[in-house]
Amino acid sequence: MNALPHGQFAAKGFVRFGLGRFRTRQLAPDASLSVTIAGDVRSPVTLGERFHALPRVNQRSHFHCVTTWSLRDLGWEGVRFSTFYHQFVVPRAGPVPGAEFVVFRGADGYRCALPLEDLLADDVLLADRLEGAPLGIEHGAPMRLIAPAHYGYKSVKHLCAIEFRTSRRGYRFPFPYPGLMDHPRARVALEERARWVPNWLIRPIYRLFVPREIR
Ligand SMILES: Nc1nc2c(c(=O)[nH]1)N[C@H]1C(S)=C(S)[C@@H](COP(=O)(O)O)O[C@H]1N2
Ligand SMILES: [Mo]
């Protein structure tokens, strides 16, 4: 029951984590929620205060970073991605048929993408609260994606844009990190850590990046 997915260990705490320049970039701690919904849509719109009018859910879920640390049972609150998609994106932005490749951009310049099909799962949230308190800047304020079945690098923090696209063209994992670090699905259960690189090789390399304080 308490077993973690293959290749993961229980971290000693929840720290801010990110690739080099993204982890250290300073962001305004009190930025208000403003997410541009764009891409291959009929009319780009901005999600702001209307986020708070969407039906909300609470959920407890595990969090698995690709560098092999995991945290169990984190309490998130926010709006299901599927609710946001059906009640806001479809009626207001109007994605064109086939716009099923979804790119998430953070205010720190980080970005990542997932197929729409994966995002419509019940446990995928746009979260703005953690353990009963507003999401702090270290964990993604004002709002972040939480996709528990996927490695943490898909759960983009500080969301400022969500793009619905008909193809992967024009999307690239942020410079200077190689695209092989960005598996198109990154499902934890299938240990989809990276593209092409076998897990026996990538696991020990990634482990070097686990912060000392959570080992
Ligand atoms: N905007 C942004 N989102 C991001 C990252 C980042 O550097 N910037 N890092 C990703 C990675 S690799 C992980 S494991 C989680 C870490 O979330 P945390 O900082 O709340 O621990 O955020 C993901 N989302
Ligand atoms: Mo990660």
Side-chain angles (χ1 to χ4, degrees):
M1 182 75 232
N2 264 333
L4 286 169
H6 192 249
Q8 297 297 114
F9 74 93
K12 291 211 170 76
F14 196 21
V15 292
R16 176 169 178 78
F17 188 88
L19 296 166
R21 66 193 168 100
F22 298 111
R23 185 176 52 78
T24 51
R25 187 159 292 174
Q26 295 294 314
L27 293 169
D30 50 2
S32 60
L33 193 151
S34 174
V35 185
T36 304
I37 314 299
D40 297 310
V41 298
R42 282 195 304 275
S43 46
V45 287
T46 300
L47 175 67
E49 282 309 305
R50 277 179 298 199
F51 177 72
H52 301 289
L54 293 167
R56 300 179 67 82
V57 290
N58 281 286
Q59 121 181 342
R60 302 207 71 87
S61 46
H62 302 343
F63 188 93
H64 308 292
C65 173
V66 75
T67 64
T68 74
W69 61 267
S70 288
L71 278 170
R72 295 190 180 96
D73 203 30
L74 293 171
W76 300 100
E77 186 185 325
V79 173
R80 279 203 179 108
F81 188 88
S82 65
T83 303
F84 155 74
Y85 183 72
H86 293 298
Q87 297 191 19
F88 188 86
V89 177
V90 171
R92 292 183 190 263
V96 306
E100 293 174 357
F101 176 72
V102 188
V103 179
F104 295 85
R105 295 180 186 277
D108 56 354
Y110 182 78
R111 55 187 174 268
C112 213
L114 274 173
L116 179 62
E117 185 189 347
D118 289 21
L119 293 162
L120 295 179
D122 268 357
D123 61 355
V124 178
L125 303 187
L126 293 176
D128 63 350
R129 294 178 70 83
L130 170 62
E131 301 301 356
L135 193 59
I137 193 69
E138 70 280 23
H139 291 302
M143 193 249 273
R144 75 178 299 171
L145 185 71
I146 281 297
H150 299 75
Y151 285 114
Y153 66 93
K154 297 291 182 181
S155 289
V156 177
K157 297 179 282 194
H158 321 294
L159 281 175
C160 64
I162 304 177
E163 296 162 9
F164 295 82
R165 300 179 173 211
T166 55
S167 83
R168 299 182 61 92
R169 250 185 313 120
Y171 165 76
R172 193 198 174 285
F173 199 51
F175 183 82
Y177 304 101
L180 65 83
M181 288 173 72
D182 184 21
H183 190 286
R185 306 289 291 275
R187 290 167 293 183
V188 178
L190 298 178
E191 216 180 335
E192 293 170 332
R193 284 181 206 272
R195 292 154 96 177
W196 309 305
V197 190
N199 282 316
W200 62 261
L201 177 60
I202 198 87
R203 254 187 251 118
I205 296 170
Y206 273 155
R207 269 191 198 124
L208 302 170
F209 294 89
V210 179
R212 187 185 297 268
E213 62 268 35
I214 64 167
R215 282 167 192 257

